[in-house]
């Protein structure tokens, strides 16, 4: 099979021919049709993100494709089925506390290294091998639409956070960091779930204005000024009432003050879901014990999403609650993987979706 291989951090992806994956019990081989490319992929490939990743590797966390072959224990999946491949692979020998990896992307702890070595290559290839439970049927689609269905990887992450936080219809939600890919998708998903009002925060006035224009009066925006007290007041004013929940997607470059500006605005008994990327000293949020206790606030970290989120999101798309046409899609052939990574970095807004199409050869028209 043809694949884009990362041989050395800082080097371009190398298009190579690799051996086809070998099927085992409890596994599925998928012919990859479309794989989304994260805006920060270049920073993983150059080593600046310091992700745990053993090289050489075919990167690519998940995607959309068709089943090529199943193991002898598969009961429903069959060759030809369209599936979404979930990148989160969990070990099977400790259900209570499993090790976890993101296929072709990173392993979380050294104990997960055996899992990373077995399920090593991701979706920047014509085929990939995954556990059976990581291939979820999405129903019949046109091959030409596979790139749009790759948006599942963008939508599922905030959906996982909203499910974990128990968002209810009519509630007021703050999406903190709504101008990024996952945050912008979080606005769309929250509205589809029935949120009464969504407060979208961020630094880019133009992106915030676009969110408000696209989604209508249920979305209100707050541009960060850097003054924590002022920003918190602005969030409260935009809400116009109690804030039930905060979904935080602030990136590594953000500050703890930006997180607190939203967290401390929640109502008595409010919920806070942390899914962002703060690191180092900025990761120390400085939340007051006494305030958390008296305000009865639930603060929860969420990594990715549960398996049940995938069929539920597919149902929402099929029902028309989520419009895959909201994304500005740009597709690249596998041979142009490096150009695709550069394009994703330069087009990192909430509407932009860069997709690699291993099912097509040669250059693709934009």
């Amino acid at each position: 099979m043809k694949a884009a291989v990362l041989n050395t951090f800082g080097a371009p992806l190398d298009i190579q021919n690799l051996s086809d994956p070998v099927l085992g019990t409890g596994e599925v081989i998928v012919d990859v049709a479309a794989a989304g490319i994260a805006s920060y992929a270049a920073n993983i490939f150059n080593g600046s993100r310091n992700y745990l990743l053993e090289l050489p590797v075919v990167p690519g966390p998940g995607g959309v494709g068709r089943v090529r072959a199943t193991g002898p224990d598969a009961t429903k999946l069959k060759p030809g089925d369209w599936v979404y491949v979930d990148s989160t692979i969990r070990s099977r020998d400790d259900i209570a506390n499993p090790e976890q990896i993101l296929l072709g992307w990173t392993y979380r702890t050294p104990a997960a290294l055996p899992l990373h070595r077995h399920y090593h290559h991701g979706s920047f290839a014509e085929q990939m091998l995954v556990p059976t439970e990581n291939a979820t049927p999405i129903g019949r689609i046109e091959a030409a639409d596979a790139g749009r269905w790759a948006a599942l990887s963008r939508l599922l992450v905030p959906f996982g956070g909203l499910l974990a936080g128990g968002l209810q219809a009519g509630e007021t939600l703050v999406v903190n960091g709504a101008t990024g890919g996952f945050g912008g998708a979080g606005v769309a998903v929250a509205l589809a779930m029935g949120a009464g009002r969504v407060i979208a925060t961020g630094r880019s006035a133009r992106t915030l204005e676009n969110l408000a224009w696209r989604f209508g009066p249920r979305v209100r925006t707050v541009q960060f000024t850097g003054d924590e007290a002022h920003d918190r007041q602005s969030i409260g004013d935009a809400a116009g009432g109690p804030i039930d929940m905060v979904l935080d997607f602030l990136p590594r470059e953000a500050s703890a003050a930006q997180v607190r500006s939203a967290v401390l605005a929640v109502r008595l008994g409010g919920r806070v879901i942390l899914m962002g990327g703060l690191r180092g000293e900025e990761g120390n949020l400085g939340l007051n014990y006494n305030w958390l206790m008296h305000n009865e606030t639930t603060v929860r970290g969420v990594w990715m999403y549960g398996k049940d989120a995938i069929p539920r999101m597919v149902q929402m798309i099929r029902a028309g609650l989520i419009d895959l046409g909201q994304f500005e899609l740009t597709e690249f052939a596998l041979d142009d993987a490096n150009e695709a990574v550069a394009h994703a970095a330069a087009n990192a807004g909430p509407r932009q979706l860069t997709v690699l199409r291993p099912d097509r050869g040669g250059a693709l028209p934009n």
Side-chain angles (χ1 to χ4, degrees), residues 162 167 171-175 186 190 195 197-199 243 245-247:
L162 293 169
L167 180 69
E171 288 192 319
T172 295
L173 170 76
V174 175
V175 178
R197 179 164 294 170
V198 177
I199 314 304
I243 294 170
M245 182 175 164
V246 172
L247 178 65

Side-chain angles (χ1 to χ4, degrees), residues 13-364:
L13 297 173
D14 186 25
I15 308 303
Q16 300 178 10
N17 285 314
L18 303 180
S19 299
D20 291 347
V22 177
L23 186 67
T25 300
E27 296 176 338
V28 173
I29 295 175
V30 175
D31 288 326
V32 184
I37 302 178
S39 62
Y40 55 87
N43 294 327
I44 294 176
F45 301 161
N46 67 24
S48 62
R49 282 221 166 195
N50 297 314
Y51 273 28
L52 293 174
L53 190 60
E54 193 172 78
L55 305 183
V57 68
V58 176
V64 173
R66 304 188 79 169
V67 173
R68 170 178 283 263
T70 65
D73 54 336
T75 61
K76 293 183 179 180
L77 281 179
K78 60 184 183 300
D81 286 348
W82 282 99
V83 294
Y84 172 74
V85 176
D86 178 19
S87 63
T88 308
I89 298 178
R90 299 172 175 88
S91 61
R92 295 162 166 168
D93 53 353
D94 187 350
I95 298 299
N97 189 30
E99 300 298 334
Q100 301 181 81
I101 68 168
L102 291 181
L103 177 66
W105 213 237
T106 189
Y107 57 100
R108 292 191 61 199
T109 65
L113 185 55
L115 198 61
H116 174 60
R117 286 174 173 166
H118 182 71
Y119 294 110
H120 194 58
H121 293 319
S123 54
F124 291 10
E126 292 177 323
Q127 298 177 32
M128 60 178 162
L129 176 73
V130 296
T132 304
E133 64 269 24
N134 281 66
T136 300
I138 61 174
R140 295 184 62 180
I141 67 171
E142 295 296 325
D145 294 332
R148 294 210 173 274
W149 279 88
L152 278 166
S153 61
R154 181 81 62 84
L155 296 162
L156 281 165
V157 175
F159 189 39
L162 293 169
L163 290 175
L167 180 69
Q168 301 297 309
E171 288 192 319
T172 295
L173 170 76
V174 175
V175 178
N176 210 25
T179 53
F182 289 129
V187 174
V189 175
L191 293 172
M193 294 174 68
R197 179 164 294 170
V198 177
I199 314 304
T201 74
R203 288 194 175 276
S204 172
R206 182 177 179 180
T207 305
L208 290 170
E209 289 170 3
N210 183 266
L211 284 170
W213 174 79
R214 279 197 296 140
F215 292 116
R218 289 162 65 197
V219 173
R220 297 187 179 181
T221 63
V222 172
Q223 184 181 10
F224 282 132
T225 66
D227 182 318
E228 181 180 342
H230 179 275
D231 291 343
R232 182 161 61 252
Q233 182 63 49
S234 296
I235 290 170
D237 291 344
I243 294 170
D244 301 289
M245 182 175 164
V246 172
L247 178 65
D248 185 272
F249 271 111
L250 287 172
R252 294 182 174 214
E253 299 77 17
S255 69
Q258 290 172 290
V259 178
R260 288 194 301 269
S261 65
V263 171
L264 298 179
V266 296
R267 65 167 173 82
L268 178 71
R271 296 100 68 199
V272 176
I273 301 296
L274 302 177
M275 300 189 79
L278 269 66
R279 294 292 187 275
E281 284 303 310
E282 290 301 336
N284 297 321
L285 299 183
L287 296 175
N288 183 273
Y289 183 109
N290 192 56
W291 179 85
L292 286 169
M293 184 268 289
H294 282 285
N295 201 58
E296 300 180 10
T297 303
T298 299
V299 180
R300 177 177 174 182
V302 176
W303 193 68
M304 302 302 284
Y305 46 87
K307 299 292 186 190
D308 63 328
I310 304 171
R312 292 177 67 176
M313 177 54 66
V314 171
Q315 286 180 317
M316 292 173 71
I317 294 169
R318 295 287 187 187
L321 297 172
I322 296 286
D323 179 15
L324 296 180
Q326 70 184 278
F327 296 102
E328 295 180 359
L329 175 66
T330 306
E331 298 179 313
F332 291 83
L334 184 58
D335 287 344
D336 302 318
N338 289 296
E339 289 82 353
V341 171
H343 182 273
N347 297 271
R351 292 189 67 187
Q352 282 68 42
L353 181 64
T354 304
V355 172
L356 202 63
R357 293 296 302 257
D359 63 338
R360 298 180 184 175
L364 294 173

